[in-house]
Amino acid sequence: MALGGIRNIVVAGAGQAAAQALQSLRSGGYDGRLSVVGDEAALPYQRPPLSKAYLKGEFEQDRLYFKPGAWYEDQKIDVVLGTTVTGINRARREVQLEHGGHLAYDVLILATGSRPRQLTLPGADLAGVYDLRTLADVGRLSPQMVPGRKMVIIGAGYIGLEAAAVARQMGLEVTVLEMAPRVLARVTSPVLSAFYEAEHRSHGVRILTGVQTARLNGANGQVTSVVLADGTELPADIVLSGIGILPNEELAKNAGIACSNGILVDRDGRTSDPQVFAAGDCASRPLVHYGRSGRLESVHNAIEQGKLVAAAILGLPRPAEDCPWFWSDQYDLKLQIAGLSQGYDTHVVRGDPATRRFAVFYLKNATLIAVDAVNSPPEFLASKKLIISGAKLAPDVLIDTSTPMKDIAAQAAA
């Protein structure tokens, strides 16, 4: 079906948002030409397991792929792998490819994702220094993760802590370095930071917070140690960088499409060029439950935006927008996060962290804006609904574990 002259749709990028957009377009009835261009050699695949089960060797590579190769053939999707889109000619409505070819489009979807923020330290180019973002990264890192080796992880965000948990379970000696005064400082409360610091230390991870890394030393081109600003030298066979990611917005910016820490889009994923959409890590979107815009680095966001973009292109009703949610697996702990806690003025703890089953609720002006639920699915699921509804809750109600969360949610909805 040609939709108002839309006969060619090109998707630049081949991650979660791209995979969802492709699936939603075809299932929604679009039968025109559909092409996807990815810079990796692999078909679109899941990234979360890379720092968890896949790194640990408990998750087969075939299980990472969203769809097998035959699906793309059956759906008549042109898959161009191992190359990048290097430019957008908006006047001619075509994209230039790395190898010199081009693809015409009526609608372009930018799902270019993000990339690891690079270490700029002396010695960062030594062998044995790794990022953890792609299948190829795991392919390089995994063979080096030998019991007894010393791994230093720079950055105590989710990726760094997940990798630390896996490395300890594989028998490596692990040190985590963090500039901030606590782990997970950018995304959570001191309560949860303290809990995870204690958890990692109980498993033998050395955590140093409030430290600056000065340089990496090496011998014969191989990293041998990490040197801190105060002169402390930490032996290292492996250094893993986990200092955050940057949106891949340059393609859009160079084409004159509005960007600001991500490609700016409306609720439907449409950019400042009405023929160009963006979705996933690269996009800065309206956060409708929070009255502001921002980027969300999550599977949920990529899936939701892929669906929103496809619906807008197909002229279908806008799908419902959920509250943001995330998760992290470390040891036998499943952390489920609903909402965005930035800007909270009150936080309350439900349950006892010593039991390793509890939740931290974040409120702003008595309105629930987020929850961090550790091994507590009921708190996570109920809070998603409460956040969407803008529920106002008294702290003593949330603290009272004798009242099930489903009852608290039902009372708030009444």
Side-chain angles (χ1 to χ4, degrees), residues 12-362:
Q16 180 95 52
Q20 184 61 58
L22 294 170
Q23 184 174 340
S24 294
L25 285 166
R26 281 296 191 236
S27 64
Y30 176 72
D31 61 5
R33 186 176 182 188
L34 190 51
S35 306
V36 59
V37 183
D39 61 355
E40 297 182 58
L43 290 168
Y45 63 88
Q46 306 173 63
R47 293 190 190 276
L50 297 184
S51 60
K52 307 177 185 76
Y54 185 70
L55 179 61
K56 200 175 174 183
E58 297 177 347
F59 201 95
E60 296 298 324
Q61 182 169 324
D62 285 350
R63 294 176 59 197
L64 291 175
Y65 299 116
F66 299 119
K67 298 288 185 183
W71 181 85
Y72 297 91
E73 294 178 13
D74 292 343
Q75 297 296 318
K76 296 182 173 57
I77 297 173
D78 299 326
V79 181
V80 183
L81 299 176
T83 192
T84 57
V85 173
T86 57
I88 304 169
N89 187 322
R90 293 166 57 198
R92 296 180 61 177
R93 290 192 187 172
E94 65 180 29
V95 296
Q96 290 79 47
L97 303 181
E98 185 179 24
H99 57 58
H102 67 271
L103 290 173
Y105 69 83
D106 297 307
V107 170
L108 172 63
I109 301 173
L110 299 176
T112 48
S114 56
R115 63 189 183 277
R117 190 184 296 273
Q118 295 298 296
L119 288 174
T120 56
L121 304 170
D125 58 348
L126 289 164
V129 181
Y130 300 92
D131 295 313
L132 185 50
R133 182 69 178 166
T134 67
L135 266 172
D137 291 338
V138 179
R140 288 186 288 268
L141 173 60
S142 185
Q144 307 306 317
M145 294 185 66
V146 176
R149 286 192 173 177
K150 296 178 173 60
M151 173 184 269
V152 175
I153 299 172
I154 302 176
Y158 290 123
I159 292 293
L161 294 184
E162 287 168 1
V166 170
R168 279 303 297 141
Q169 289 170 316
M170 294 178 72
L172 282 78
E173 297 180 26
V174 181
T175 300
V176 177
L177 308 178
E178 173 56 50
M179 289 178 58
R182 56 188 175 87
V183 307
L184 302 173
R186 190 172 63 91
V187 293
T188 195
S189 64
V191 173
L192 209 73
S193 294
F195 173 79
Y196 272 97
E197 285 185 27
E199 182 69 24
H200 279 276
R201 289 191 172 109
S202 75
H203 283 86
V205 176
R206 183 184 183 190
I207 296 178
L208 302 178
T209 57
V211 296
Q212 296 262 5
T213 306
R215 68 180 187 275
L216 310 182
N217 286 344
N220 301 316
Q222 171 71 37
V223 70
T224 57
S225 67
V226 177
V227 181
L228 304 183
D230 66 2
T232 302
E233 187 168 1
L234 305 169
D237 302 301
I238 302 166
V239 174
L240 178 64
S241 174
I243 57 174
I245 63 175
L246 297 170
N248 291 327
E249 63 182 1
E250 291 77 11
L251 183 63
K253 188 178 290 185
N254 292 340
I257 294 170
C259 297
S260 179
N261 185 30
I263 305 167
L264 297 176
V265 300
D266 64 14
R267 288 178 68 180
D268 298 314
R270 188 177 285 103
T271 71
S272 58
D273 181 334
Q275 304 307 124
V276 180
F277 292 76
D281 283 4
C282 67
S284 178
R285 62 178 291 191
L287 304 174
V288 296
H289 305 297
Y290 295 90
R292 59 184 173 86
S293 292
R295 285 192 313 107
L296 298 175
E297 302 161 3
S298 71
V299 168
H300 159 252
N301 176 66
I303 292 172
E304 183 170 86
Q305 280 204 296
K307 292 178 179 179
L308 288 166
V309 165
I313 293 169
L314 295 168
L316 298 174
R318 180 185 295 141
E321 293 159 276
D322 200 356
C323 83
W325 57 266
F326 316 82
W327 82 91
S328 178
D329 294 327
Q330 299 171 44
Y331 308 109
D332 60 342
L333 300 171
K334 176 169 285 293
L335 170 61
Q336 294 173 292
I337 305 145
L340 304 172
S341 63
Q342 290 81 2
Y344 72 91
D345 54 38
T346 304
H347 71 276
V348 296
V349 180
R350 178 182 172 91
D352 182 359
T355 66
R356 306 173 83 248
R357 183 184 179 90
F358 68 101
V360 184
F361 293 86
Y362 303 91

